[in-house]
Amino acid sequence: LAEQSKQAVAQVRTMLGEIQRASQTAVQAAAHGREAIESGRQQSVQAGEAMSTPMRTVTVNDVTPPTLIDLSDKNGTTGDPFQFEVEASDNRALDKVWLEYSRLGDVSIPFEFNKDIGYSKTITLSNRIDPLIYRFMAVDASGNNISTSPKLIEVSFRRNSE
Protein backbone atom coordinates (compact mmCIF):
# COMPACT_ATOMS: atom_id res chain seq x y z
CA LEU A 1 0.00 0.00 0.00
CA ALA A 2 2.88 2.36 0.80
CA GLU A 3 4.40 1.58 -2.58
CA GLN A 4 1.15 2.39 -4.38
CA SER A 5 0.85 5.66 -2.44
CA LYS A 6 4.38 6.58 -3.47
CA GLN A 7 3.62 5.91 -7.12
CA ALA A 8 0.34 7.81 -6.95
CA VAL A 9 2.11 10.84 -5.39
CA ALA A 10 4.76 10.69 -8.15
CA GLN A 11 2.04 10.57 -10.83
CA VAL A 12 0.22 13.52 -9.25
CA ARG A 13 3.51 15.50 -9.12
CA THR A 14 4.16 14.71 -12.79
CA MET A 15 0.66 15.79 -13.72
CA LEU A 16 0.96 18.99 -11.66
CA GLY A 17 4.29 19.76 -13.39
CA GLU A 18 2.69 19.25 -16.81
CA ILE A 19 -0.27 21.43 -15.84
CA GLN A 20 2.11 24.10 -14.53
CA ARG A 21 4.17 24.05 -17.78
CA ALA A 22 0.99 24.18 -19.88
CA SER A 23 -0.30 27.12 -17.80
CA GLN A 24 3.01 28.98 -18.25
CA THR A 25 2.89 28.36 -22.04
CA ALA A 26 -0.71 29.63 -22.14
CA VAL A 27 0.27 32.75 -20.14
CA GLN A 28 3.22 33.42 -22.52
CA ALA A 29 1.00 32.93 -25.58
CA ALA A 30 -1.55 35.36 -24.14
CA ALA A 31 1.21 37.91 -23.45
CA HIS A 32 2.50 37.58 -27.04
CA GLY A 33 -1.07 37.95 -28.30
CA ARG A 34 -1.52 41.15 -26.27
CA GLU A 35 1.79 42.52 -27.63
CA ALA A 36 0.73 41.74 -31.22
CA ILE A 37 -2.64 43.40 -30.66
CA GLU A 38 -0.98 46.49 -29.16
CA SER A 39 1.51 46.67 -32.04
CA GLY A 40 -1.34 46.41 -34.55
CA ARG A 41 -3.28 49.11 -32.70
CA GLN A 42 -0.25 51.44 -32.75
CA GLN A 43 0.26 50.83 -36.49
CA SER A 44 -3.41 51.55 -37.08
CA VAL A 45 -3.15 54.81 -35.12
CA GLN A 46 -0.03 55.82 -37.07
CA ALA A 47 -1.71 54.99 -40.39
CA GLY A 48 -4.72 57.07 -39.37
CA GLU A 49 -2.47 59.98 -38.41
CA ALA A 50 -0.61 59.70 -41.71
CA MET A 51 -3.87 59.73 -43.62
CA SER A 52 -5.15 62.76 -41.71
CA THR A 53 -1.90 64.70 -42.27
CA PRO A 54 -2.42 67.08 -45.20
CA MET A 55 -0.56 66.20 -48.38
CA ARG A 56 2.27 68.54 -49.21
CA THR A 57 2.98 69.74 -52.70
CA VAL A 58 6.63 69.95 -53.60
CA THR A 59 7.41 72.63 -56.15
CA VAL A 60 10.56 72.36 -58.20
CA ASN A 61 11.60 75.71 -59.60
CA ASP A 62 12.74 75.74 -63.21
CA VAL A 63 15.66 78.14 -63.52
CA THR A 64 16.98 76.86 -66.85
CA PRO A 65 16.34 79.24 -69.77
CA PRO A 66 15.40 77.96 -73.22
CA THR A 67 18.04 77.16 -75.83
CA LEU A 68 18.25 78.97 -79.18
CA ILE A 69 20.37 77.91 -82.16
CA ASP A 70 20.43 80.37 -85.06
CA LEU A 71 20.15 78.62 -88.44
CA SER A 72 19.52 81.78 -90.49
CA ASP A 73 21.15 82.67 -93.78
CA LYS A 74 24.46 84.50 -93.36
CA ASN A 75 24.14 87.03 -96.20
CA GLY A 76 21.55 88.40 -98.61
CA THR A 77 21.06 90.04 -101.96
CA THR A 78 18.55 92.77 -102.80
CA GLY A 79 15.34 91.40 -104.27
CA ASP A 80 15.99 87.86 -102.96
CA PRO A 81 14.24 86.03 -100.15
CA PHE A 82 16.03 85.94 -96.82
CA GLN A 83 15.20 83.26 -94.30
CA PHE A 84 15.34 83.72 -90.54
CA GLU A 85 15.36 80.35 -88.80
CA VAL A 86 15.98 79.27 -85.23
CA GLU A 87 15.95 75.95 -83.41
CA ALA A 88 14.29 76.52 -80.03
CA SER A 89 13.95 74.08 -77.12
CA ASP A 90 13.44 74.00 -73.37
CA ASN A 91 13.79 71.46 -70.57
CA ARG A 92 10.06 71.88 -69.76
CA ALA A 93 7.95 73.88 -72.20
CA LEU A 94 8.46 76.87 -74.45
CA ASP A 95 5.93 79.64 -74.01
CA LYS A 96 6.93 82.03 -76.78
CA VAL A 97 9.65 82.42 -79.43
CA TRP A 98 9.98 85.60 -81.44
CA LEU A 99 12.23 87.54 -83.80
CA GLU A 100 13.06 91.23 -83.99
CA TYR A 101 14.63 92.54 -87.17
CA SER A 102 15.28 95.89 -88.84
CA ARG A 103 17.42 97.68 -91.35
CA LEU A 104 20.19 99.73 -89.77
CA GLY A 105 18.60 102.82 -88.25
CA ASP A 106 14.97 101.66 -88.75
CA VAL A 107 12.44 100.65 -86.10
CA SER A 108 12.58 96.95 -85.13
CA ILE A 109 9.84 94.72 -86.49
CA PRO A 110 8.74 92.05 -83.99
CA PHE A 111 7.48 88.69 -85.24
CA GLU A 112 6.13 85.97 -82.94
CA PHE A 113 6.48 82.43 -84.23
CA ASN A 114 3.64 79.90 -84.12
CA LYS A 115 4.96 76.78 -82.32
CA ASP A 116 2.76 74.53 -84.44
CA ILE A 117 4.18 75.83 -87.72
CA GLY A 118 7.85 76.17 -86.76
CA TYR A 119 10.45 78.80 -86.12
CA SER A 120 11.14 80.12 -89.59
CA LYS A 121 10.26 83.39 -91.38
CA THR A 122 11.14 84.45 -94.90
CA ILE A 123 11.21 88.07 -96.08
CA THR A 124 12.12 89.58 -99.43
CA LEU A 125 15.04 91.98 -99.21
CA SER A 126 14.23 95.41 -100.63
CA ASN A 127 16.54 97.33 -102.96
CA ARG A 128 18.28 98.95 -100.00
CA ILE A 129 21.77 97.72 -99.26
CA ASP A 130 21.66 98.76 -95.61
CA PRO A 131 22.68 95.90 -93.31
CA LEU A 132 19.92 93.81 -91.74
CA ILE A 133 20.05 93.45 -87.94
CA TYR A 134 18.14 90.76 -86.06
CA ARG A 135 17.96 88.70 -82.91
CA PHE A 136 15.83 85.82 -81.59
CA MET A 137 14.22 85.70 -78.15
CA ALA A 138 12.39 83.01 -76.20
CA VAL A 139 10.64 82.58 -72.87
CA ASP A 140 9.64 79.29 -71.25
CA ALA A 141 6.58 78.38 -69.19
CA SER A 142 8.45 79.30 -65.97
CA GLY A 143 9.31 82.81 -67.21
CA ASN A 144 12.99 82.12 -67.95
CA ASN A 145 14.07 84.02 -71.04
CA ILE A 146 16.96 84.21 -73.43
CA SER A 147 18.01 86.39 -76.34
CA THR A 148 20.63 85.82 -79.00
CA SER A 149 23.22 88.51 -79.59
CA PRO A 150 22.21 90.90 -82.37
CA LYS A 151 23.42 89.64 -85.75
CA LEU A 152 24.36 91.82 -88.71
CA ILE A 153 23.65 90.59 -92.24
CA GLU A 154 25.36 92.38 -95.09
CA VAL A 155 23.05 92.90 -98.04
CA SER A 156 24.64 93.11 -101.47
CA PHE A 157 23.12 94.74 -104.53
CA ARG A 158 21.86 92.39 -107.23
CA ARG A 159 23.58 93.08 -110.49
CA ASN A 160 21.51 92.44 -113.57
CA SER A 161 23.24 90.17 -116.03
CA GLU A 162 22.97 91.50 -119.56
Side-chain angles (χ1 to χ4, degrees), residues 32-48:
H32 288 302
R34 275 193 301 276
E35 289 172 7
I37 290 170
E38 179 58 24
S39 174
R41 188 191 68 76
Q42 287 175 355
Q43 288 176 355
S44 176
V45 167
Q46 289 171 350

Side-chain angles (χ1 to χ4, degrees), residues 121-150:
K121 171 149 179 77
T122 302
I123 63 169
T124 301
L125 295 174
S126 67
N127 286 332
R128 291 174 51 190
I129 59 169
D130 299 340
L132 185 65
I133 300 171
Y134 73 95
R135 69 181 178 154
F136 293 104
M137 291 159 284
V139 65
D140 67 14
S142 297
N144 301 309
N145 59 59
I146 190 167
S147 173
T148 61
S149 299

Side-chain angles (χ1 to χ4, degrees), residues 8-26:
V9 168
Q11 284 178 343
V12 169
R13 281 190 185 150
T14 301
M15 284 198 225
L16 286 174
E18 289 173 4
I19 291 170
Q20 193 175 23
R21 282 191 293 277
S23 293
Q24 288 173 345
T25 301

Side-chain angles (χ1 to χ4, degrees), residues 107-126:
V107 176
S108 290
I109 300 168
F111 176 79
E112 185 173 338
F113 293 103
N114 180 333
K115 294 184 269 194
D116 299 329
I117 296 173
Y119 305 115
S120 178
K121 171 149 179 77
T122 302
I123 63 169
T124 301
L125 295 174
S126 67

Side-chain angles (χ1 to χ4, degrees), residues 55-139:
M55 299 288 275
R56 292 191 177 102
T57 301
V58 176
T59 303
V60 178
N61 292 329
D62 174 19
V63 295
T64 305
T67 302
L68 297 173
I69 300 172
D70 186 358
L71 305 171
S72 302
D73 295 337
K74 302 302 176 220
N75 52 43
T77 305
T78 58
D80 285 349
F82 180 85
Q83 184 174 16
F84 297 103
E85 187 173 8
V86 67
E87 185 178 296
S89 62
D90 189 60
N91 62 333
R92 295 243 171 117
L94 284 169
D95 183 36
K96 183 165 83 168
V97 177
W98 70 101
L99 159 73
E100 283 183 357
Y101 66 97
S102 68
R103 291 296 186 126
L104 194 60
D106 287 350
V107 176
S108 290
I109 300 168
F111 176 79
E112 185 173 338
F113 293 103
N114 180 333
K115 294 184 269 194
D116 299 329
I117 296 173
Y119 305 115
S120 178
K121 171 149 179 77
T122 302
I123 63 169
T124 301
L125 295 174
S126 67
N127 286 332
R128 291 174 51 190
I129 59 169
D130 299 340
L132 185 65
I133 300 171
Y134 73 95
R135 69 181 178 154
F136 293 104
M137 291 159 284
V139 65

